[in-house]
Amino acid sequence: MNYPTIQHLIGRDWIASPTPEDRAVINPANGQTIGQIPQASAADLDHAVHSAESAFRRWKNSSPMERSAILRRFADLLRQNDRLIAGWITLDEGKPLAEALAEVRASADHVDWHAEECRRIYGRIIPSRSPGVQQLVVREPIGVCLAITPWNFPLSQAVRKVAAALASGCTMILKAPAEAPAGCMAIARYLLDAGLPEGCLNLVWGNAAFISETLIARPEVRKITFTGSVEVGKHLAELAGRHMKRATMELGGHAPVLVFDDADATAAARALAGNKLRNAGQVCIAPTRFYVQQGIYDRFLSELVSAFESVKVGDGLTEGTQMGPLCHRGRVNAMEKLVEDARENGARVLTGGKRVGNHGNFYAPTVVDTPNDDIDLMREEPFGPIAVVSSFREIEDGLSRANGLPFGLASYVFTNSLERADKAAAGLQAGMVSINQFGLALPETPFGGVRDSGYGTEGGTETFEGYLNTKFISRNRA
Ligand code: NAD
């Protein structure tokens, strides 16, 4: 497969001069080097800022129809090249090809939705207190945005930000993930092919701390939008605060699942297993802390274990693979540490709990049964193929344990009782609640967290809030 050469895109130029700091892109299924990540210099970043700023002066005045047409062509190009892009994502991120294809197609849907919705960015007129005065509220793009995105959905995480920024008339500098870079190369390549004017999207690679500190401090950069861990998010929010920059923070979670005893234990366990192991569990909204009511605990647990044991783990490019490797070696080490802590502190590992094979970053689908929340797995986001299960008695007990961490991203409820569903939905401290299904992260619905999981929303009509300023104009006819 023709893996792309990873380069910066600055203005209309693709550039990458090799440096001793360049780092390798590794195929997580076999450890082979498939590419090199260039490192942006201070001069590269300076060029990117000038390029994005000068493009913004024209792009902010483009009509929504013009922006919409370019984005629609981009979405079409993603669809036309879906197999090529999906192959790249499987090579560098590791997910099975079918999941990578789904990511490309979902990304195209996100772009289409933003292309349509940007035609409906409206202002308003507020009735005035004097007959000769007219009061207008207009929305204006905020300017050059910096986006920093993670490797787990290398295409779709970046697409959400790029589409929202461009659709609202902003320009962008994208710092993409070194672990899985090809998805962002596809975004830049196909946006140019779709007719995006030069400088509207600039793509840079390299030292994340250097890039964020340099760019957030630049007066031309007006906003930072970040998806990644809570730790890095808090650091970037501080930088944004110091320089008075707008910020959107899509951070980590540790999604609780409440399974009540009136739910169908078998159906819930099977559905949760499939969703939990998507992308080998490296999903910020993955169901992770399973709280199951006592009456169906044993049945649920045995169904979950058998569903986990039936999953075929292997290279994502191999036909029939249902779960691929973890994206990088650090994730495998993290799984080993969490499972070791669980074993030492009174939890039972019912299946998995070990690496698979002797090359590549494979880790077995793992179910851990714990009587309490005292193990690290119940506190730290595993971001891997581990489900940790514990029982609860009453709804109040389940809710209080579900809300017991500082995170608040996704949460899930399984029940046949409308009363319990409503009570759980109202009581869960989370940005998103999904009941008896996995209905999150659609283009037309808002996606975001509360508490340590961040602030700001992507998707839904809320998506443009992060990219627009509100200007009030009061004019007298005299
Ligand atoms: P990470 O925070 O380590 O890295 C995310 C991005 O930030 C990468 O591009 C990385 O290079 C960059 N980065 C690292 N240090 C930086 C610094 N000092 N300054 C600027 N940028 C820096 O996270 P990760 O391991 O890549 O991704 C996993 C985390 O992301 C998990 O916690 C997961 O829950 C979270 N996540 C959240 C969402 C969401 O929408 N809420 C989606 C996906 C992933």
Side-chain angles (χ1 to χ4, degrees), residues 149 151 157 175 208 212 226-229 250-252 284 381 447:
T149 57
W151 45 262
Q157 295 288 0
K175 183 339 234 149
S212 59
F226 173 73
T227 298
S229 62
E250 296 280 0
L251 310 180
C284 55
E381 177 190 27
F447 183 102

Side-chain angles (χ1 to χ4, degrees), residues 109-229:
D109 283 352
H110 274 277
V111 176
D112 270 342
W113 188 85
H114 283 87
E116 188 55 39
E117 197 62 17
C118 74
R119 293 145 57 110
R120 291 187 272 274
I121 295 174
Y122 304 131
R124 68 189 202 277
I125 296 176
I126 300 175
S128 83
R129 297 175 178 218
S130 318
V133 171
Q134 197 173 37
Q135 305 186 120
L136 311 174
V137 178
V138 296
R139 311 301 310 277
E140 295 182 338
I142 63 175
V144 177
C145 304
L146 166 65
I148 301 182
T149 57
W151 45 262
N152 64 333
F153 288 91
L155 181 73
S156 65
Q157 295 288 0
V159 148
R160 286 156 167 261
K161 299 181 189 302
V162 170
L166 295 177
S168 49
C170 295
T171 57
M172 182 165 264
I173 302 171
L174 169 62
K175 183 339 234 149
E179 295 83 355
C184 287
M185 285 296 297
I187 293 174
R189 178 190 287 188
Y190 294 119
L191 265 170
L192 285 189
D193 289 354
L196 186 73
E198 71 175 80
C200 288
L201 177 71
N202 302 272
L203 176 63
V204 295
W205 308 93
N207 182 307
F210 169 65
I211 292 174
S212 59
E213 276 158 35
T214 305
L215 293 182
I216 293 173
R218 288 290 297 250
E220 300 90 337
V221 174
R222 299 307 319 156
K223 185 209 164 94
I224 153 103
T225 172
F226 173 73
T227 298
S229 62

Side-chain angles (χ1 to χ4, degrees), residues 74-88 101 104 186 189-190 193:
F74 171 47
D76 289 343
L77 286 168
L78 289 178
R79 289 195 187 92
Q80 284 160 22
N81 295 282
D82 57 1
R83 289 188 180 277
L84 176 73
I85 305 168
W88 293 348
L101 258 180
V104 180
R189 178 190 287 188
Y190 294 119
D193 289 354

Side-chain angles (χ1 to χ4, degrees), residues 174-431:
L174 169 62
K175 183 339 234 149
E179 295 83 355
C184 287
M185 285 296 297
I187 293 174
R189 178 190 287 188
Y190 294 119
L191 265 170
L192 285 189
D193 289 354
L196 186 73
E198 71 175 80
C200 288
L201 177 71
N202 302 272
L203 176 63
V204 295
W205 308 93
N207 182 307
F210 169 65
I211 292 174
S212 59
E213 276 158 35
T214 305
L215 293 182
I216 293 173
R218 288 290 297 250
E220 300 90 337
V221 174
R222 299 307 319 156
K223 185 209 164 94
I224 153 103
T225 172
F226 173 73
T227 298
S229 62
V230 173
E231 189 191 355
V232 176
K234 285 185 173 175
H235 167 68
L236 294 176
E238 270 180 41
L239 277 178
R242 191 180 312 156
H243 297 283
M244 198 49 74
K245 302 295 163 77
R246 291 272 290 276
T248 297
M249 293 287 151
E250 296 280 0
L251 310 180
H254 198 337
V257 190
L258 291 173
V259 186
F260 288 94
D261 57 12
D262 55 47
D264 178 335
T266 307
R270 286 185 188 159
L272 280 160
N275 203 268
K276 167 74 220 177
L277 297 177
R278 186 166 69 105
N279 198 18
Q282 302 165 116
V283 182
C284 55
I285 56 170
T288 295
R289 291 177 292 143
F290 293 64
Y291 293 113
V292 182
Q293 211 166 12
Q294 273 183 336
I296 56 164
Y297 192 71
D298 292 341
R299 201 146 33 95
F300 179 89
L301 209 52
S302 84
E303 289 291 349
L304 191 71
V305 168
S306 85
F308 268 44
E309 286 177 345
S310 72
V311 168
K312 189 161 180 273
V313 179
D315 187 327
L317 290 176
T318 306
E319 185 78 26
T321 292
Q322 291 170 307
M323 192 184 100
L326 301 190
C327 179
H328 58 82
R329 179 51 56 114
R331 298 290 348 127
V332 180
N333 298 341
M335 296 309 106
E336 291 192 317
K337 220 164 137 250
L338 287 169
V339 168
E340 193 185 318
D341 170 81
R343 283 195 169 110
E344 282 170 4
N345 288 288
R348 293 187 306 149
V349 178
L350 300 182
T351 186
K354 56 181 189 309
R355 290 173 185 236
V356 177
N358 51 15
H359 70 289
N361 304 332
F362 296 98
Y363 197 85
T366 299
V367 176
V368 173
D369 172 25
T370 176
N372 54 46
D373 294 347
D374 295 344
I375 55 173
D376 287 348
L377 256 173
M378 275 297 194
R379 294 185 287 259
E380 286 174 30
E381 177 190 27
F383 219 59
I386 306 181
V388 55
V389 194
S390 195
S391 70
F392 73 95
R393 278 174 200 274
E394 304 299 334
I395 186 165
E396 289 72 20
D397 167 38
L399 278 173
S400 128
R401 290 171 73 189
N403 291 333
L405 295 183
F407 301 108
L409 190 61
S411 58
Y412 301 90
V413 180
F414 284 79
T415 178
N416 274 321
S417 152
L418 192 55
E419 192 190 338
R420 281 173 159 175
D422 285 348
K423 201 166 170 184
L428 283 163
Q429 295 174 20

